[in-house]
Amino acid sequence: MNLDFDVIIIGAGMSGITAGIRSAMSGKRVLLLEQQQEVGGLNTYYKRAERIIDVGLHAFTNYLPPHKGKGALNKILRQLRIRFEDLKLGEHPSSLISFAEGGMVFGNGPDVQTFCESVRKLFPEDEQRFLSLVRTIENYNVNFIDAKQTQNEKSARQELQKILEGANPLLLEMLLFPCLVYGSSWENDLEFSQFAIMFRALFLEGFARPEGGVKRLIDLLKARFLEEGGNLKLKCKVLSLTEGKAGEWRVFSTLGVFSAKQVISCAGSLESYKLIEERALPLAQERGKLTFTEAIFVLPRSALVLQNKGLPKHSVVFYNERPGHYRYAAPLECTAIDTSSALICFPDNYLDAQKQTIPSEELVIRVSLLANFDYWEKLRKVRADYLRAKEYVLEESIKLVLRYLKREGVELSYLEIKDKIIFHDVFTPWTIRRYGGREGAAVYGHERKSRDGKTPYSQLYLCGSDQGFVGVVGAMLSGIAIANQYVIKDHQSETSI
Amino acid sequence: MSPLEVRQKVVEIIAHIAPDEDLTSLKDDVALREQLELDSMDFLDIVMELRKKHKVEVPPEDYPKLATLNSCVEYLTPKFIS
Ligand SMILES: Cc1cc2nc3c(=O)[nH]c(=O)nc-3n(C[C@H](O)[C@H](O)[C@H](O)COP(=O)(O)OP(=O)(O)OC[C@H]3O[C@@H](n4cnc5c(N)ncnc54)[C@H](O)[C@@H]3O)c2cc1C
């Protein structure tokens, strides 16, 4: 039978494009379909005056400087034949987990010296327990594409209680915050192997940011895909999928119908099944509930240099105000956002960021807040309400940053800062839903994952968030692993028979 | 193709996959994994490049035969000839 392609990939999110690169590298005819006008998915950027504004990216995880060993990021780039140097990564100097009870500072791995000092200061009794957790994670092997992982789900909270037995419960809360907010599709917990992945990604390896922001990565990935002979169609929305008589897939899109033996989708599990059967609900996995608003504001640097304290020095701040615990869940009904915690990011604080994405006398602050999708879906129906809600997010985000700075000993008034804002933008769950197409704007996908990428349909595979690896680096790994397993390896077992 | 040439081809492939590794002092009888930072994803790439560059197929059950340079040469030489 004459098929148009060997593999069609739905969605050019980070996972879709790496699945595309690997498939094309192995000599397959690959078609990558993306509804937006640029690749990257949730991680994208836009230009405003002389500024390039990143949409998704705060930081890459899994970074180790080359002289300190090989992090997961190095391995991924090797698989894609992208030179590590070409990403021009700048490390974070330090990041902070800030609770009312105290803060813990951490730097990049592989040693956890800075982190350990913080633990010793705040939890003098628990240093050994913390180190035994570090050793557990160092020795924990994660099988990447493993169906058993789904059956063996364990709660990270419960496992941590065992590993850290006798420790101050606040230590557990503080360690969970970054791992949850950077990678959990469950409320208030995550799967233990996912915790191990995140702990390694954030603390044993670490944060970095490419010079020029996410655009650098997007350009490199796109160029590699085209170099390997991949076909890319942008502004091409997939409308439906049908299985042909000979088991081939027929993909109906706004730019025509294409056939292929295999389909890989990064559009989400439920989202993909709905392309096949409108009533795919019996197959539906629990809809993910975790979504965010994101406020971005650009200030003159001078606005924050005050009281001889200099500028804030951390790159990422995990900021929490609830006494004794961190709440990682959709805000309650009729509440747009959770204003008791925030992920605050200072993207200009990465080292070696020679080429800034904004003029050098300016500074960007990004604030992500947990949001309630259902509420935003109602809000957006009345334009004036929606706009007012966006304004409210901006205000609350600024106030949270000011409350954080106050913890650091710098007092600034709201109006003082608000008046100096040069540029701002607010993304809501509705923006994310409209842009990426994910149900419920669930940033980390649905609650249930398909760790081996398989679906109820033959030759249809999932990569990205609903396979289970999240974040920019996780998504890239997911695409590679799925293509390796089903496009490259399985093809070989077939030809050998 | 002679065994020596096959060895050369394999080393070329490894150099392509892992450009930052030093391959000058590779020992032929020691597992590649022990000498280089190669993981299973990298071994898959050796297989992929063998197929792309030299039309040589290695089915998954034979992957263990690529463990050392010696075993690579022993296993691959007849395949390069046919
Ligand atoms: C505000 C925000 C900040 C973040 N910050 C970070 C960070 O600092 N560090 C980090 O590591 N991660 C971060 N993330 C998470 C990270 O962006 C995601 O985990 C990752 O990008 C997911 O990639 P993916 O490939 O799974 O899917 P997605 O990025 O969701 O890609 C799916 C793609 O499929 C396309 N698509 C969907 N349906 C169709 C269709 N029918 N036809 C055609 N195309 C379709 C979409 O347009 C999209 O391009 C952030 C996310 C958000 C929202």
Side-chain angles (χ1 to χ4, degrees), chain A residues 10-16 33-36 40-43 55-61 182 236-239 266-267 275 294 366 368 432 435-438 443-444 463-465 469-473 475:
Chain A
I10 304 176
M14 291 297 170
S15 63
L33 303 175
E34 169 56 53
Q35 61 188 357
Q36 298 298 336
L42 290 175
N43 296 100
V55 176
L57 184 82
H58 296 171
F60 278 26
T61 54
Y182 263 123
C236 177
K237 186 177 164 82
V238 174
L239 305 170
C266 74
L275 296 171
E294 168 118 332
R366 320 171 55 112
S368 313
I432 297 175
Y435 192 87
R438 283 189 186 279
V443 167
Y444 298 124
C463 65
S465 306
F469 299 155
V470 300
V472 182
V473 175

Side-chain angles (χ1 to χ4, degrees), chain A residues 22 24-28 69-70 75-76 78-79 81 83 144 228 477 480-481 483-485 487-489 491-493 495-496, chain B residues 13 16-21 36-49 51-52 56-61 63:
Chain A
R22 289 293 297 173
M25 278 170 75
S26 76
K28 300 285 175 167
K70 288 209 160 56
K75 288 189 179 164
I76 288 169
R78 190 196 256 191
Q79 284 267 302
R81 311 281 190 272
R83 289 193 343 206
F144 284 127
E228 290 293 343
L477 178 62
I480 292 173
N484 283 356
Q485 183 65 38
V487 180
I488 304 177
K489 259 197 212 160
H491 161 87
Q492 275 163 356
S493 31
T495 49
S496 70
Chain B
I13 288 175
H16 176 65
I17 294 169
D20 41 354
E21 298 278 0
L36 305 168
E37 267 198 58
L38 297 182
D39 59 19
S40 58
M41 295 204 297
D42 296 314
F43 275 88
L44 187 63
D45 275 23
I46 298 181
V47 173
M48 192 172 86
E49 296 293 332
R51 169 153 49 89
K52 250 169 65 179
V56 168
E57 296 281 352
V58 182
E61 59 272 22
Y63 289 1

